[in-house]
Amino acid sequence: MKSRDIWPKVLVLVVGIFIVNVSKAQLEANIWYVSDSTRIDWNKGKYPFLSKPTIYAPEEGTGSICDSLGNLLFYCSAKYLFNAKNELLNKDFDLNGDESTTQGALILKHKESAEYYLFVNSGHGDSGGLFLTSWLVSGDSVVFTAKGKRLLYRTGEGINAINHQNGRDIWIITHGYRNNLYYIICLTNSGLSQCIKYFKSGPYIGDMYTANNIWIAPDGSKIGFEPILYDTQYLYKFNSQIGAMGSLIVLPNSQDLAMSFSSSGNFIYSWFDFPDRIFRRNLSNWNEKAIRDSRQLVATLKSNSTLRWPRVGYDDIIVFPRYAKSYIGIVSNASSDVIQNVVVKDTGIILLKTKCTNGNFNTNQSYFYTPAINYKYKQDCNTNEFQFWGVDTFSANAYRWEIKKGNSISKYTTKSMNHQFTDTGIWQVKYVATNGSRMDSVSKEIEIFPILKSGFLGKDIGYCGNAFPITLQGPTGMNCYTWSKPKGTETYIDHINADAAGTYILETCNPVFCTYTDTIKIFEKAEPDTPKIIRKGDSLFVSNAEPGVQYQWYKGNTFIGKTGIGFKLLDTAWYKVRGVAPINCFGAFDSVKVESLRSKSLLRDQIQMYPNPVSDEIHIRNLPSRTRLSILDVTGRLVYEATSVQTNISISLNQLPAGHYQLVLEAVNERMVYTVIKL
């Protein structure tokens, strides 16, 4: 059947508008094995064509990976893994996936690592989850480093991947089952991070609706999600530096099914059946009403076309399997701002088996987006020194960097450079490249987080008595926390209640997946010795005080707020004291009865007055604040009066005749009278 019999004629006529340039693309996803044993190949550089079929026809989702030249390396379903020679590789173990999952398998490889990673979702029931198989290539064989290892329990069917903002690492994103959790994992050159981010948002996926897809814009800026049989689409901004879901747009009762982002990420394409139509929405204005109102009809197909779940491909092409007619159709020039430039046509690819084209090929969406200019970077987590290097597709020969935050700015004029960030927060990092006739630039926000220093858990802890549980607190604002206890158990919250002596280890991961580890010991400590009270004048002291022990003083059974090794007596009473070690380890009391004080005035012991007799000035030291001073002659006449706010004062008596005087001090509810002789 010819394409003009299936697609609108007017749209077929404009196919020549689309200009192809795959030479700059990343070719690791150049061969697709869809779920009906059809092999779709992109290596001719235009739109996809039919290549030789596979030897195995899974029910739904599949994945594959090529080398950087587009040569097939491995392909798989959720159950079976094959090499390019069609040899089954997992003969002795199960991948643990389910072949009735819409995005059932995903093969990834970090470009700076030799290891391959295969993720499969079982996606059905409480026993399901996300599983990992990984391997290294040794000659013509593979050496498995993990075989069907469970990473997560209770996940749905959708899984997808996108490049990290740093241009090196990869984010893997999946959704939970019977919950509203997204799980985000980071693949680095040193392997898969054990720290998994949990993000709660969006729809609750119940029993019947586990079949869901996760779509990611090839530039990593947005994520789309739609549970099958739900009439609602969810769109998120995505922070590809820290792997975080951002602001949410909900399109309820959207009437559109599934979605695929254009290569630029500016549009989403969806379909609606009865009759089958293809629509697109514009995402440039991130507002629910604006996105809803931007819905445009791209094409109306003839009856019984029955479109299925689309996937983005190379050269701004979106692939729509046509379930009923057994054809693969495409939408090309999908990022054009002018809808008349968008081209819809058949590829001529006839599916060998039409069953279950819902779940077709799955891969890292970044393979389908190569900007003209970009930059990569590598972070030293212990120093916040970054290595930057620029990338372009137009043979640039002059370069400029600008790193700015507030009034702080640094500039460089090389293609690659190192920069030390000395302050936390969000920095704007701009890279400009030119070849003389063309100049392009790219700017990214890079957030710098605090570096955790060794010992962030604090000092080791001694305990005694009924000290447990003891709360150990990790640093706040981290991605995840893994506590190792003396008994070998682990927990994943920011704090734990230690229930036994021993060594506790925390491995924590910050928002950019820098990993830090600290150790703290809890050891048994004897209770404080019973204190021995001694009296010196009108003060009580502990004679056998221990380092690190605090002492609590009581008048009768009332704590009087004194915690030192001694204090000045207030009045007569029974006094007692006990030692308190860290973690509220209490010792026994010692007590003493104070029946009398050495003098009526406690202030008299601290105040100093000299000289007496005095011929010129009298000096008074250690006065309490706001002491009232009066001098009276032998007849009781007031000859001097003042209120001192200073602790040390001097009073001149030069104007007074010789004789005896009374100096009266009034402070802190006490009145003291001194006899002063003037010479």
Side-chain angles (χ1 to χ4, degrees):
M1 185 178 294
K2 296 181 180 180
S3 61
R4 65 174 178 271
D5 297 324
I6 302 172
W7 302 89
K9 295 179 181 179
V10 64
L11 293 173
V12 175
L13 293 176
V14 296
V15 67
I17 296 175
F18 183 71
I19 300 174
V20 176
N21 179 11
V22 298
S23 62
K24 305 296 186 183
Q26 305 170 72
L27 307 181
E28 286 85 346
N30 251 26
I31 296 175
W32 294 10
Y33 281 102
V34 298
S35 54
D36 56 7
S37 74
T38 302
R39 172 169 161 167
I40 299 175
D41 204 320
W42 296 78
N43 278 311
K44 288 186 177 180
K46 294 186 178 179
Y47 50 84
F49 66 95
L50 183 65
S51 183
K52 61 183 179 181
T54 70
I55 63 170
Y56 177 69
E59 185 177 350
E60 289 197 65
T62 59
S64 66
I65 192 167
C66 301
D67 63 19
S68 59
L69 300 177
N71 300 309
L72 180 67
L73 297 173
F74 302 98
Y75 69 95
C76 71
S77 67
K79 283 287 186 183
Y80 302 106
L81 173 65
F82 299 90
N83 61 15
K85 299 178 181 179
N86 296 316
E87 297 170 334
L88 179 64
L89 300 179
N90 64 311
K91 296 177 181 179
D92 62 340
F93 69 94
D94 193 343
L95 299 180
N96 288 321
D98 190 310
E99 290 185 327
S100 183
T101 49
T102 61
Q103 289 178 318
L106 178 64
I107 304 177
L108 299 172
K109 180 181 178 295
H110 195 286
K111 291 187 176 181
E112 299 173 21
S113 170
E115 197 163 9
Y116 293 84
Y117 295 84
L118 167 59
F119 301 89
V120 297
N121 258 327
S122 59
H124 293 85
D126 289 338
S127 62
L130 180 66
F131 296 86
L132 168 68
T133 295
S134 56
W135 65 92
L136 296 166
V137 176
S138 178
D140 293 330
S141 61
V142 300
V143 178
F144 287 99
T145 54
K147 297 181 177 181
K149 174 184 175 182
R150 183 188 289 275
L151 296 179
L152 290 169
Y153 284 89
R154 294 163 56 96
T155 55
E157 296 188 14
I159 184 172
N160 215 327
I162 197 72
N163 281 2
H164 192 289
Q165 177 181 274
N166 63 21
R168 303 168 58 245
D169 302 332
I170 303 172
W171 297 112
I172 300 104
I173 303 171
T174 189
H175 194 283
Y177 168 71
R178 288 183 176 173
N179 58 44
N180 62 342
L181 288 175
Y182 287 91
Y183 304 95
I184 302 175
I185 310 172
C186 189
L187 177 61
T188 71
N189 63 333
S190 59
L192 195 67
S193 172
Q194 297 304 304
C195 179
I196 299 176
K197 292 188 68 171
Y198 300 80
F199 186 84
K200 184 177 291 187
S201 179
Y204 174 91
I205 305 304
D207 295 345
M208 293 181 59
Y209 306 111
T210 65
N212 46 69
N213 282 257
I214 296 174
W215 292 273
I216 310 178
D219 66 350
S221 62
K222 305 172 188 73
I223 292 179
F225 180 83
E226 179 192 62
I228 293 178
L229 303 183
Y230 273 49
D231 194 18
T232 299
Q233 294 179 326
Y234 298 83
L235 296 169
Y236 295 89
K237 287 288 185 71
F238 185 67
N239 184 330
S240 62
Q241 184 206 0
I242 63 176
M245 314 287 279
S247 58
L248 169 64
I249 297 291
V250 180
L251 300 175
N253 304 315
S254 66
Q255 298 184 319
D256 298 335
L257 297 172
M259 72 179 77
S260 180
F261 288 93
S262 63
S263 293
S264 67
N266 293 331
F267 299 94
I268 54 169
Y269 285 77
S270 304
W271 58 274
F272 181 80
D273 52 4
F274 307 116
D276 283 294
R277 289 168 289 172
I278 297 176
F279 292 91
R280 80 170 184 178
R281 297 178 189 269
N282 192 326
L283 307 181
S284 57
N285 185 353
W286 193 252
N287 172 275
E288 180 179 328
K289 185 178 184 304
I291 294 174
R292 183 187 298 276
D293 293 346
S294 70
R295 185 173 185 254
Q296 291 179 291
L297 176 66
V298 177
T300 300
L301 309 182
K302 290 185 177 181
S303 61
N304 298 322
S305 292
T306 316
L307 294 171
R308 281 297 182 259
W309 273 247
R311 294 287 188 271
V312 68
Y314 288 115
D315 303 313
D316 210 17
I317 291 175
I318 295 172
V319 176
F320 277 89
R322 302 185 63 202
Y323 182 67
K325 292 295 185 180
S326 303
Y327 275 85
I328 292 289
I330 63 172
V331 174
S332 60
N333 207 17
S335 292
S336 174
D337 291 331
V338 180
I339 196 168
Q340 287 78 9
N341 293 340
V342 178
V343 179
V344 182
K345 64 172 292 182
D346 267 335
T347 61
I349 296 174
I350 300 176
L351 303 177
L352 302 181
K353 298 179 181 179
T354 61
K355 182 180 180 181
C356 286
T357 52
N358 284 1
N360 56 24
F361 179 79
N362 195 21
T363 188
N364 177 355
Q365 300 298 280
S366 301
Y367 290 147
F368 310 119
Y369 175 74
T370 303
I373 185 172
N374 197 10
Y375 66 79
K376 302 180 180 182
Y377 59 84
K378 181 179 180 181
Q379 178 181 3
D380 186 328
C381 292
N382 296 313
T383 63
N384 276 338
E385 182 179 26
F386 279 58
Q387 178 185 356
F388 292 93
W389 58 96
V391 179
D392 65 79
T393 61
F394 53 91
S395 302
N397 53 26
Y399 319 96
R400 176 166 53 87
W401 296 86
E402 182 178 281
I403 301 177
K404 185 177 181 181
K405 178 191 172 190
N407 294 325
S408 176
I409 186 168
S410 299
K411 296 182 179 181
Y412 303 89
T413 56
T414 56
K415 188 173 185 178
S416 61
M417 56 84 183
N418 288 6
H419 179 79
Q420 181 84 45
F421 287 92
T422 57
D423 190 18
T424 57
I426 296 177
W427 294 75
Q428 296 290 335
V429 180
K430 183 178 181 180
Y431 171 62
V432 182
T434 180
N435 61 8
S437 60
R438 172 178 178 173
M439 177 182 291
D440 282 22
S441 67
V442 58
S443 183
K444 302 177 185 179
E445 286 188 349
I446 295 180
E447 186 168 1
I448 304 299
F449 295 89
I451 298 170
L452 284 188
K453 304 298 183 181
S454 60
F456 57 81
L457 285 180
K459 298 180 180 179
D460 294 340
I461 298 173
Y463 75 95
C464 64
N466 297 320
F468 292 109
I470 300 170
T471 299
L472 300 179
Q473 179 65 53
T476 59
M478 309 299 278
N479 273 347
C480 57
Y481 306 82
T482 303
W483 293 91
S484 298
K485 297 183 177 181
K487 296 180 181 179
T489 57
E490 298 180 347
T491 186
Y492 298 90
I493 55 178
D494 63 350
H495 68 279
I496 59 170
N497 291 322
D499 54 7
T503 300
Y504 292 77
I505 302 172
L506 172 60
E507 181 178 274
T508 186
C509 215
N510 77 356
V512 287
F513 286 81
C514 291
T515 301
Y516 301 96
T517 302
D518 194 22
T519 299
I520 189 170
K521 293 182 179 179
I522 299 178
F523 57 91
E524 187 173 1
K525 179 182 171 91
E527 294 180 356
D529 293 337
T530 302
K532 295 179 180 179
I533 299 175
I534 61 171
R535 179 174 177 177
K536 294 182 178 179
D538 283 338
S539 296
L540 297 182
F541 294 91
V542 174
S543 64
N544 59 338
E546 299 176 81
V549 175
Q550 194 176 58
Y551 292 92
Q552 295 179 344
W553 292 89
Y554 290 75
K555 179 182 177 183
N557 292 321
T558 303
F559 176 55
I560 60 176
K562 305 294 184 181
T563 56
I565 62 172
F567 79 103
K568 201 80 159 177
L569 286 168
L570 302 175
D571 51 24
T572 59
W574 273 98
Y575 291 90
K576 61 182 181 181
V577 65
R578 65 177 176 179
V580 184
I583 317 300
N584 290 330
C585 179
F586 299 104
F589 282 102
D590 187 25
S591 62
V592 65
K593 185 177 182 181
V594 177
E595 296 180 330
S596 63
L597 300 180
R598 191 183 68 181
S599 63
K600 293 183 179 179
S601 173
L602 298 178
L603 287 177
R604 188 180 293 274
D605 292 338
Q606 74 180 46
I607 295 175
Q608 300 176 9
M609 183 187 65
Y610 62 90
N612 192 13
V614 56
S615 59
D616 187 8
E617 285 186 335
I618 188 168
H619 307 290
I620 306 172
R621 300 290 183 262
N622 303 326
L623 287 172
S625 177
R626 300 197 62 81
T627 298
R628 181 178 175 81
L629 302 98
S630 304
I631 300 177
L632 296 86
D633 63 15
V634 292
T635 67
R637 183 173 60 90
L638 183 66
V639 296
Y640 177 86
E641 183 180 31
T643 298
S644 174
V645 294
Q646 299 179 339
T647 58
N648 301 321
I649 68 169
S650 298
I651 302 173
S652 174
L653 303 183
N654 283 336
Q655 304 301 319
L656 296 179
H660 287 68
Y661 295 86
Q662 283 188 329
L663 171 63
V664 181
L665 305 179
E666 295 175 278
V668 196
N669 298 321
E670 292 192 37
R671 187 173 187 273
M672 293 156 284
V673 180
Y674 299 85
T675 298
V676 178
I677 302 173
K678 170 64 169 63
L679 298 177

